[in-house]
């Protein structure tokens, strides 16, 4: 029971972790709460299904569909930055104005999906029939293993990009001081657009994977992931990708334990209560470093 | 400057208070009359209704007969609950078109969006009222329904809701009627059914505690199960926000040794529960309610998962009776979808109103309150029996509750089979 | 053309800034007179909602605009006020004279306790803390069945009456909402024009500097947090009586986001801007009614366009006091033709 609940929690946590990675990237660079982020999660899953219907309901169709979904979502995300968020930045709008803009983008995407696909829950055909195996008393499906592996791989890859490449150095520079970075020759707008591209791609990929795991697509799937990703990002420590993954897992496991042992009705309430306590006690998050503010 | 500020505030406050007080005097009169036996619509609504029909009258009696009666519909057309509202709106539209094609009495339907929100719903209601609505078809969902029926009750607008199933919707409102079962009835019926047929000994319940429909059924089920000595070993909940992972709830049910899981929920989460239970190698019996209908027609749904699922439902899209077949065909032609029970409810609501008004002396320019009295009388009269998609021989009690027999169905080889 | 446009806008804003009180007063007169023209129930009910949303937005603006704390959980306090009024109204049949202050107090107490624990956290954490609080309140409302009715909510909350007068008519409700709005606006502007207000602004502009100047940052933050929640509670209590029905679905995180959108759209930290934002976002869904299934998409697109066109919100960039000073100086300049001073005004 305990072990099975732990596995359940890790599965839920993987979904949060995957979304949080992209979310925390943008938050780390621009300190922008991107509400549209979870919409790409949903859009990616829907697009993948559309592409699969066009190409074929097999592994090839799935792979091509996933790539297609990633590219489309990434492009839309980069375009929103170019056409809207970037303009707001340029005109000196406050970070909070960009936040409202992302809320608008989220509303458009979520409702465009309802318009385009209808609000009926749709099934996502699982092209890999991988089966399950048992660890002790608990059942684990291979799909869960794959998703968790992908999450960790993406995290490692992006951590590498941020820490070791020139592009990553640019991102870090922007996150510290945008104007100074610009003066040092960092192509600020280009890097931010690519950050948006990458973050939405990761989000779309996670939507595809999670959609396939639960074999279902529904129009509510974006709403809850968004706030949980926000919570996980802060819990893990802002801008820290490993923190994002840990934060996601912690929230997922916490939820499933609360639901299993305390009350399923209060699962989110207790998860958020714990989050509040953690943030009050340790404001920098699990992996974050303490920043001292100066005048 | 500062003194001037204070002065302005004081003036503003006094002005506002004065108006408030002045207004309360005005407001007293209309509410007094509307409280009396013959309610008069003192708001703008009534004049809006009569004005457009006045010129029609001058054209002569003939065109007055064909002037449409204005039906207002309210339901979620956007947002997460849009699936129910759109289906009900589509069903109602089909019925209106069919009736209008018959000649004779004409209907005009205007369906407004409420986003499944009480506040927006009341706005939608007021917008419809200004449009000249004479009869209300709605609301589709329960929560807005409770708010809107309070208004329609005080305005004396006859209300027949397709699917707002909580008793709070009809409670104490003589002009509000339901097309669907009330939630408590479903809960009681389900518990009785399970106990009588000995379908399970240890029952687990998974319900949506953010949903009035689900909660309503659960509550009565739980109390009835207690009375019938049906052992409930596990009760777990989810919300719309957490409706994709049920492993936690299923693990708990499995641990408790439940051999039957009662699912007073809609078919979308139910389909996930079935799939996830299978993935866990957990094979209890599943028992659903009318919200479960629709599961077989979900796109790409593996119907093998639903094998052996039992449910109480008034409507089945793959029923073979003539009326259902025709409706499903038409719906599919128009909207490229298989109708769910909400579509059928919407369709039935319009037909029930039509049946009730058919033999009466009805004119399009009748005021909503006159129509309301007429319809209440018709619906509660003992001779009024309605046969629709969602049930045979339906009758209505004075409370607004519908009486129809729930059909026990079991899914075998991907189709519904009657359990009796 | 564009230059002319921006110039004329500038002139209008200048006129507005100079005659701020006259404008406010005429707006009030218009608001009082509007029901003469717009007298159908639908329009009056929409206008009442505009007032309720304005109260919420103005109170949130005090927290977000004046103090600089982004709250994603304002709807929690709105809901607490509404539930307090609904429970008191249905179980104890209390009058709005009691329930309105009770709603304020309960929301205030909740905010005080939350603030006591969490207000010291960094601003971006407060966003998620308030969001979490909003979710917790919603979940408690959903689960505490015997007290709150769960997902069914509480219905038949008594209609509004005061000292024997029935105030539940469409006009009376509107004027009561307007009265509450004016009460909120005046209380908050009085505070912001006082010593407390200057301390609050100093915290927003630089917390550490303010602290070192002897401003007790913690207690001021706690005060604003509590105070802003109290007015949200007031709006909630009115809402409960206005609709005579409350359900947890009306006070979700999404509602908080809508409220925050009103503040940002109108212009953070600007009282008239906030009210304009609240009115726009309350009217927009109604104006888009004819688009049925498209309306949410259009609604979102309009928000994006508005934000791109005016990144600081409608009136966010304008500091009326500053503009007034500018106008005063330029008048002085033209009078004295004192050239060297010109630099100061630029």
């Amino acid at each position: 029971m305990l072990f099975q609940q732990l596995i359940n929690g890790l599965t839920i946590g993987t979904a949060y972790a995957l979304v949080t990675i992209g979310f925390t990237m943008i938050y780390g660079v621009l300190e922008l709460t991107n509400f549209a982020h979870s919409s790409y999660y949903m859009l990616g899953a829907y697009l993948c299904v559309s592409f699969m219907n066009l190409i074929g309901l097999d592994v090839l169709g799935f792979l091509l569909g996933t790539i297609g979904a990633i590219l489309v979502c990434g492009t839309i995300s980069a375009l929103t930055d170019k056409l809207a968020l970037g303009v707001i930045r340029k005109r000196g709008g406050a970070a909070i104005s960009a936040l409202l803009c992302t809320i608008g983008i989220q509303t458009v995407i979520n409702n465009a999906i309802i318009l385009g696909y209808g609000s009926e829950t749709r099934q996502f055909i699982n092209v890999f029939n991988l089966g399950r195996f048992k660890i002790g008393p608990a059942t684990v499906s291979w799909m869960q293993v794959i998703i968790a592996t992908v999450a960790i791989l993406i995290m490692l890859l992006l951590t590498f990009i941020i820490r070791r490449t020139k592009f990553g150095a640019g991102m870090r520079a922007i996150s510290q001081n945008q104007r100074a970075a610009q003066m040092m020759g960092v192509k600020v707008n280009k890097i931010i657009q690519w950050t948006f591209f990458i973050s939405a791609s990761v989000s779309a990929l996670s939507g595809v994977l999670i959609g396939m795991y639960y074999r279902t697509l529904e129009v509510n799937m974006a709403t809850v992931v968004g706030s949980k990703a926000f919570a996980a990002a802060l819990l893990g420590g802002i801008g820290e990708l490993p923190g994002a993954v840990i934060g996601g897992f912690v929230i997922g496991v916490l939820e499933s334990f609360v639901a299993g042992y305390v009350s399923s009705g209060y699962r989110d309430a207790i998860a958020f209560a714990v989050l509040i306590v953690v943030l009050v006690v340790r404001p920098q998050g699990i992996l974050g470093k303490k920043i001292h503010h100066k005048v | 400057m500062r003194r001037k500020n204070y002065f302005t505030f004081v003036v503003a406050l006094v002005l506002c208070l004065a108006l408030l007080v002045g207004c309360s005097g005005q407001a007293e009169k209309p509410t007094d009359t509307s409280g009396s036996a013959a309610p008069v619509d003192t708001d703008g609504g009534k004049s809006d209704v009569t004005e457009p029909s006045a010129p029609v009258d001058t054209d002569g009696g003939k065109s007055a007969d064909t002037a449409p009666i204005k039906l207002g519909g309210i339901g979620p057309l956007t947002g997460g609950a849009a699936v129910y509202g759109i289906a009900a709106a589509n069903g109602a539209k089909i019925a209106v078109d069919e009736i209008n094609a018959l000649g004779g009495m004409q209907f005009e339907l205007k369906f407004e969006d409420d986003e499944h929100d009480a506040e927006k719903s009341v706005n939608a209601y007021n917008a419809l009222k200004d449009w000249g609505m004479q009869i209300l078809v709605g609301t589709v969902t329960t929560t807005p329904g409770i708010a809107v029926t309070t208004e329609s009750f005080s305005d004396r607008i006859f209300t027949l809701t397709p699917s707002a199933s909580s008793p709070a919707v009809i409670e104490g409102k003589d002009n509000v009627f339901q097309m669907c079962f009330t939630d408590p009835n479903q809960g009681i019926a389900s518990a009785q059914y399970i106990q009588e047929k000995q379908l399970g000994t240890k029952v687990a319940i998974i319900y949506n505690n953010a949903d009035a429909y689900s909660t309503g059924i659960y509550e009565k089920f739980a109390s009835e199960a207690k009375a019938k000595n049906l052992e409930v070993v596990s009760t777990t909940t989810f919300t719309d926000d957490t409706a994709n992972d049920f492993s936690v709830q299923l693990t708990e049910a499995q641990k408790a040794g439940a051999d039957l899981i009662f699912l007073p929920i809609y078919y979308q989460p139910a389909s996930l529960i079935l799939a996830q239970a299978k993935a866990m190698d957990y094979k209890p019996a599943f028992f659903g309610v009318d919200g479960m209908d629709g599961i077989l027609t979900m796109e790409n749904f593996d119907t093998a998962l639903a094998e052996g699922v039992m449910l109480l439902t008034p409507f089945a899209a793959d029923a073979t009776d003539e009326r259902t077949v025709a409706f499903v065909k038409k719906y599919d032609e128009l909207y490229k979808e298989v109708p769910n029970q909400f579509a059928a409810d919407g369709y039935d609501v319009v037909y029930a109103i039509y049946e009730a008004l058919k033999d009466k002396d009805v004119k399009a320019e009748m005021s909503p309150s006159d129509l309301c009295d007429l319809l209440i009388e018709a619906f509660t009269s003992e001779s009024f029996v309605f046969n629709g998609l969602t049930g045979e021989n339906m009758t209505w009690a004075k409370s607004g509750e519908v009486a129809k027999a729930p059909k026990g169905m079991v899914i075998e080889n991907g189709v519904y089979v009657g359990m009796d | 053309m564009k230059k002319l446009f921006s110039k004329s806008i500038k002139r209008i804003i200048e006129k507005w800034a100079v005659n701020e009180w006259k404008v406010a007063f005429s707006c009030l007169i218009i608001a009082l007179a509007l029901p003469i023209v717009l007298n159908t129930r639908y329009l009056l009910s929409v206008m009442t909602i505009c007032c309720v949303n304005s109260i919420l937005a103005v109170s949130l603006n005090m927290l977000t605009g004046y103090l600089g704390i982004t709250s994603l959980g304002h709807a929690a306090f709105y809901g607490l006020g509404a539930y307090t009024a609904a429970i008191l109204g249905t179980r104890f049949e209390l009058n709005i004279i009691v329930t309105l202050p009770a709603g304020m107090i309960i929301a205030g107490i909740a905010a005080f306790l939350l603030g006591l624990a969490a207000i010291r956290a960094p601003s971006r954490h407060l966003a998620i803390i308030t969001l979490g609080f909003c979710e917790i309140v919603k979940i408690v409302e959903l689960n505490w069945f015997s007290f709150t009715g769960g997902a069914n909510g509480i219905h038949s909350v008594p209609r509004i009456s005061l000292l024997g007068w029935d105030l539940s008519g469409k006009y009376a409700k509107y004027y009561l909402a307007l009265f509450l709005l004016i009460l909120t606006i005046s209380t908050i502007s009085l505070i912001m024009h006082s010593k407390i207000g200057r301390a609050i602004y100093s915290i927003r502009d630089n917390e550490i500097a303010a602290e070192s100047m002897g401003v007790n940052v913690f207690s001021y933050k706690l005060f604003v947090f509590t105070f802003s929640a109290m007015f949200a509670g007031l709006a909630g209590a009115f809402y409960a009586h206005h609709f005579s029905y409350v359900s947890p679905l009306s006070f979700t995180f999404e509602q908080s986001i809508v409220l925050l959108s009103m503040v940002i759209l109108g212009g953070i930290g600007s009282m008239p801007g906030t009210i304009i934002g609240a009115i726009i976002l309350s009217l927009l869904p109604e104006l888009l009614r004819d688009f049925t299934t498209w309306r949410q998409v259009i609604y979102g697109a309009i928000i994006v366009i508005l934000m791109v066109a005016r990144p600081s919100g409608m009136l966010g960039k304008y500091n009326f006091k500053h503009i007034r000073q500018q106008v005063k100086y330029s008048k002085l300049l033209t009078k004295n033709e004192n050239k060297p001073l010109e630099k100061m005004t630029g």
Side-chain angles (χ1 to χ4, degrees):
Chain A
M1 173 74 178
L2 179 90
F3 194 58
Q4 181 70 56
Q5 292 293 30
L6 181 68
I7 302 231
N8 297 339
L10 288 176
T11 315
I12 304 170
T14 325
Y16 297 156
L18 273 164
V19 184
T20 312
I21 292 174
F23 179 85
T24 206
M25 266 177 84
I26 293 184
Y27 201 109
V29 174
L30 290 175
E31 209 169 295
L32 166 68
T33 311
N34 186 3
F35 277 93
H37 187 72
S38 54
S39 300
Y40 299 114
Y41 168 82
M42 177 156 83
L43 183 65
Y46 272 93
L47 283 173
C48 180
V49 169
S50 302
F51 286 130
M52 276 169 80
N53 287 336
L54 283 176
I55 304 167
L57 298 170
D58 48 20
V59 178
L60 179 76
F62 170 71
L63 290 178
L64 290 177
T66 311
I67 294 172
I70 287 175
L71 290 178
V72 174
C73 286
T75 315
I76 294 177
S77 174
L79 276 179
T80 56
D81 182 63
K82 195 176 168 64
L83 298 177
L85 297 167
V87 181
I88 293 177
R89 249 192 334 270
K90 207 173 88 192
R91 295 190 178 177
I96 206 166
S97 313
L99 179 143
L100 177 55
C101 191
T102 65
I103 293 174
I105 296 168
Q106 178 207 33
T107 316
V108 172
I109 296 180
N110 288 359
N111 285 284
I113 288 174
I114 295 180
L115 264 182
Y117 291 93
S119 52
E120 280 281 349
T121 304
R122 297 164 81 89
Q123 295 285 311
F124 199 134
I125 294 178
N126 192 342
V127 290
F128 311 101
N129 267 320
L130 292 171
R132 303 178 287 279
F133 61 93
K134 279 201 172 248
I135 308 179
T139 323
V140 183
S141 78
W142 279 107
M143 201 63 206
Q144 283 168 315
V145 178
I146 292 180
I147 296 172
T149 320
V150 170
I152 291 169
L153 281 181
I154 292 177
M155 177 200 85
L156 291 176
L157 178 73
L158 291 178
T159 311
F160 174 78
I161 293 180
I162 292 174
R163 296 244 170 106
R164 293 272 181 268
T165 63
K166 208 176 153 190
F167 174 75
M171 278 172 63
R172 279 179 290 142
I174 296 169
S175 78
Q176 283 179 4
N177 189 328
Q178 202 166 313
R179 192 178 282 180
Q182 187 137 29
M183 284 185 208
M184 298 305 285
V186 177
K187 287 179 178 139
V188 171
N189 281 327
K190 206 170 162 192
I191 287 182
I192 291 178
Q193 275 163 28
W194 274 105
T195 310
F196 269 91
F197 184 92
I198 294 171
S199 114
S201 314
V202 176
S203 192
L205 177 64
S206 46
V208 169
L209 289 172
I210 302 298
M212 171 155 269
Y213 174 68
Y214 292 120
R215 299 188 183 188
T216 164
L217 301 177
E218 43 134 7
V219 290
N220 283 328
M221 69 192 273
T223 48
V224 68
V225 178
S227 59
K228 293 287 169 57
F230 192 6
L234 286 176
L235 195 61
I238 278 300
E240 296 286 334
L241 294 190
V245 174
I246 294 174
F249 281 139
V250 167
I251 291 184
V253 171
L254 191 65
E255 268 183 24
S256 81
F257 277 8
V258 169
Y261 294 101
V262 186
S263 148
S264 48
Y266 282 103
R267 76 187 228 183
D268 281 6
I270 294 176
F272 273 116
V274 170
L275 176 82
I276 292 177
V277 171
V278 170
L279 286 181
V280 169
V281 176
R282 194 180 155 82
Q284 67 270 37
I286 297 171
L287 289 188
K289 293 174 199 76
K290 201 156 188 165
I291 307 163
H292 292 277
H293 288 284
K294 292 181 205 149
V295 183
Chain B
M1 190 69 195
R2 177 63 44 78
R3 196 168 292 155
K4 204 165 135 201
N5 294 1
Y6 281 115
F7 175 73
T8 333
F9 282 138
V10 170
V11 171
L13 285 176
V14 167
L15 257 175
C16 213
L17 263 181
L19 261 162
L20 198 62
V21 170
C23 247
S24 69
Q26 288 171 15
E28 229 164 8
K29 278 179 209 156
T31 36
D32 271 345
T33 46
S34 71
S36 66
V40 182
D41 192 354
T42 45
D43 296 337
K46 190 189 170 188
S47 54
D48 281 356
V49 177
T50 42
E51 262 166 20
S53 55
V56 180
D57 255 13
T58 54
D59 289 349
K62 199 184 158 201
S63 55
D65 284 336
T66 52
I69 293 173
K70 291 184 167 180
L71 303 182
I74 302 173
L77 303 178
T78 61
V83 57
Y84 317 123
I86 291 174
N90 290 343
K93 249 178 250 164
I94 291 178
V96 167
D97 289 343
E98 282 179 9
I99 290 167
N100 287 349
L102 291 175
M105 191 174 5
Q106 297 289 300
F107 284 138
E108 184 182 350
L109 175 72
K110 184 165 177 174
F111 216 94
E112 288 282 359
D113 180 22
D114 69 3
E115 298 170 40
H116 185 43
D117 178 281
E119 189 184 313
K120 303 267 165 50
S121 207
V122 172
N123 280 344
Y125 169 81
N126 285 328
L128 285 170
K129 206 162 162 291
D130 283 355
W131 166 69
M133 164 175 65
Q134 287 158 290
I135 299 168
L136 175 62
V137 175
T139 64
V140 173
T141 45
T142 294
T143 304
I146 300 172
V148 166
T149 49
T150 313
E151 302 287 319
S152 71
F153 172 64
S154 58
D155 290 337
R156 306 301 301 167
I157 291 187
F158 184 82
T159 306
L160 180 57
T161 161
S163 48
S165 48
S166 160
V169 174
I170 49 171
E171 206 175 80
K173 299 159 195 157
D174 64 336
N175 61 339
V176 183
F177 290 78
Q178 282 169 325
M179 180 50 74
C180 52
F181 291 119
T182 56
D183 301 332
N185 283 352
Q186 276 214 63
I188 293 169
S190 304
Q192 283 170 350
Y193 213 90
I194 292 171
Q195 200 263 345
E196 273 166 27
K197 309 257 167 185
Q198 310 241 313
L199 300 173
T201 49
K202 290 183 166 180
V203 180
I205 308 170
I206 302 177
Y207 72 100
N208 180 349
N209 72 335
D211 183 31
Y213 163 78
S214 194
T215 324
I217 300 177
Y218 156 72
E219 260 187 66
K220 280 292 169 199
F221 180 88
S223 60
E224 183 70 16
K226 212 173 196 176
K228 295 262 184 223
N229 287 323
L230 202 60
E231 194 187 351
V232 176
V233 290
S234 150
T235 305
T236 46
T237 62
F238 64 96
T239 65
D240 297 322
D241 292 341
T242 51
N244 61 0
D245 196 293
F246 296 97
S247 50
V248 174
Q249 289 91 333
L250 287 166
T251 308
E252 190 170 313
Q254 191 177 25
K255 190 195 72 178
D259 56 1
L260 182 135
I261 298 187
F262 179 56
L263 301 174
I265 54 177
Y266 289 125
Y267 60 94
Q268 301 94 328
S271 72
L272 286 167
I273 290 178
L274 295 177
Q276 286 170 20
K278 194 189 162 210
M280 288 170 55
D281 287 323
Y282 176 38
K283 293 184 186 100
F286 288 98
F287 195 94
V289 288
D290 60 358
M292 182 80 99
D293 174 58
I295 195 162
L296 292 178
T297 50
M298 274 176 85
E299 192 193 1
N300 296 340
F301 178 72
D302 179 8
T303 49
L305 284 174
E307 194 64 30
V309 170
M310 294 164 279
L311 65 157
L312 289 182
T313 180
F315 173 74
D318 44 6
T320 48
D321 65 295
E322 202 183 315
R323 210 186 285 128
T324 310
V325 171
F327 173 68
V328 172
K329 190 164 160 267
K330 193 170 247 169
Y331 195 93
D332 187 54
E333 269 169 26
L334 287 169
Y335 305 109
K336 312 276 175 282
E337 263 177 359
V338 180
N340 57 19
Q341 55 143 342
F342 288 87
D345 282 330
Y347 182 85
D348 274 359
V349 162
V350 175
Y351 263 101
I353 292 170
Y354 173 71
E355 294 281 331
L357 291 177
K358 204 168 58 176
D359 309 322
K360 302 279 189 309
D361 178 31
V362 179
K363 289 192 183 64
E365 66 272 19
M366 277 174 83
S367 77
S369 56
D370 290 346
L371 270 172
C372 182
D373 293 338
L374 203 72
L375 277 163
I376 293 174
E377 198 196 317
F379 267 74
T380 51
S381 82
E382 279 174 21
S383 58
F384 186 67
V385 177
F386 176 68
N387 290 318
L389 297 173
T390 61
E392 300 280 312
N393 302 328
M394 289 185 235
T395 53
W396 276 267
K398 282 214 158 40
S399 64
E401 207 174 297
V402 65
K404 54 183 178 184
K407 293 178 202 158
M409 299 276 195
V410 62
I411 296 172
E412 276 174 14
N413 299 322
V415 289
Y416 290 130
V417 179
M419 270 205 285
D420 304 303
Chain C
M1 184 66 197
K2 206 178 166 188
K3 221 173 181 179
L4 193 77
F5 185 65
S6 62
K7 216 174 190 177
S8 57
I9 284 193
K10 200 183 160 204
R11 193 158 301 156
I12 291 170
I13 294 290
E14 264 174 19
K15 277 262 161 63
W16 186 355
V18 172
N19 302 311
E20 198 181 350
W21 285 104
K22 286 181 198 156
V23 173
F25 199 72
S26 17
C27 283
L28 179 70
I29 299 289
I30 291 171
L32 290 173
L34 261 183
I36 298 170
V37 193
L38 309 174
N39 55 2
T40 66
R41 200 164 59 193
Y42 168 62
L43 293 168
L44 277 163
S45 132
V46 170
M47 276 154 57
T48 311
I49 289 299
C50 281
C51 288
V52 172
N53 283 339
S54 298
I55 298 176
L56 289 163
V58 166
S59 64
L60 181 60
N61 182 41
M62 186 176 179
L63 185 62
T64 304
Y66 299 148
L67 187 60
I69 289 176
T70 308
S71 167
L72 296 177
H74 210 52
F77 304 114
Y78 180 34
L80 281 172
Y83 266 90
T84 309
I87 289 167
L88 290 178
T90 49
R91 303 217 168 171
F92 306 103
E93 291 173 9
L94 290 176
N95 195 275
I96 53 159
I97 277 230
V98 184
T99 58
L100 289 188
M104 282 178 90
I105 290 167
I106 295 289
I109 290 175
F112 180 76
L113 293 178
L114 179 68
L116 209 57
I119 202 80
R120 281 198 178 93
S123 177
R124 62 184 178 191
H125 287 22
L126 276 170
I128 192 80
I129 287 171
T130 46
L131 186 160
F133 182 72
C134 189
E135 287 288 312
I136 293 173
V137 169
K138 184 186 95 181
I139 290 165
V140 171
E141 284 163 2
L142 277 174
N143 284 288
W144 195 354
F145 206 90
S146 55
F147 200 55
T148 63
N152 285 323
I154 299 172
H155 59 92
S156 14
V157 180
R159 287 165 172 272
I160 302 169
S161 63
L162 201 62
L163 307 172
W165 287 320
D166 181 29
L167 292 180
S168 58
K170 54 183 182 178
Y171 290 108
K173 275 203 245 183
Y174 169 68
Y175 283 116
L176 183 59
L178 192 63
F179 169 70
L180 293 176
L181 174 62
I182 293 167
L183 189 74
T184 311
I185 295 175
S186 41
T187 319
I188 290 182
S189 11
L190 284 179
I191 288 178
M192 292 318 292
H193 280 102
S194 69
K195 188 182 145 199
I196 304 172
R198 286 191 290 278
I200 293 169
Y201 284 125
S202 77
I203 294 173
R204 175 187 69 180
D205 294 338
N206 195 324
E207 201 175 316
I208 299 171
E211 184 117 56
S212 59
M213 297 296 285
V215 174
N216 188 338
V217 172
F218 173 72
S219 42
Y220 275 111
K221 276 188 172 179
L222 191 58
F223 166 76
V224 175
F225 193 62
T226 311
F227 209 72
S228 124
M230 281 171 75
F231 281 101
L234 175 73
F238 175 78
Y239 171 96
H241 287 284
H242 172 53
F243 274 116
S244 75
Y245 175 61
V246 293
S247 95
L249 299 179
S250 310
F251 312 110
T252 56
F253 154 60
E254 285 83 7
Q255 179 69 28
S256 304
I257 299 286
V258 173
L259 296 177
L260 187 64
S261 307
M262 289 168 183
V263 175
I264 305 174
L265 191 75
I268 289 218
S270 158
M271 178 83 77
T274 305
I275 295 168
I276 293 174
I279 291 173
I280 289 180
L281 286 192
S282 316
L283 287 184
L284 208 52
E286 298 303 321
L287 295 175
L288 295 174
R289 243 178 211 296
D290 289 340
F291 296 96
T292 56
T293 50
W294 276 90
R295 59 195 271 247
Q296 290 288 317
V297 177
I298 299 170
Y299 174 80
I302 289 177
I303 289 184
V304 174
I305 294 167
L306 281 177
M307 281 332 283
V308 173
R310 291 209 59 81
S312 318
M314 304 288 208
L315 297 175
K317 247 184 357 200
Y318 306 113
N319 182 343
F320 280 5
K321 212 169 172 183
H322 186 222
I323 294 174
R324 268 200 297 275
Q325 283 170 349
Q326 272 187 334
V327 173
K328 224 183 207 168
Y329 274 123
S330 58
K331 268 188 192 153
L332 272 174
L333 283 176
T334 44
K335 222 184 246 172
N336 305 338
E337 289 186 347
N338 197 345
K339 291 273 164 126
L341 251 173
E342 202 167 42
K343 267 192 187 134
M344 275 177 63
T345 61

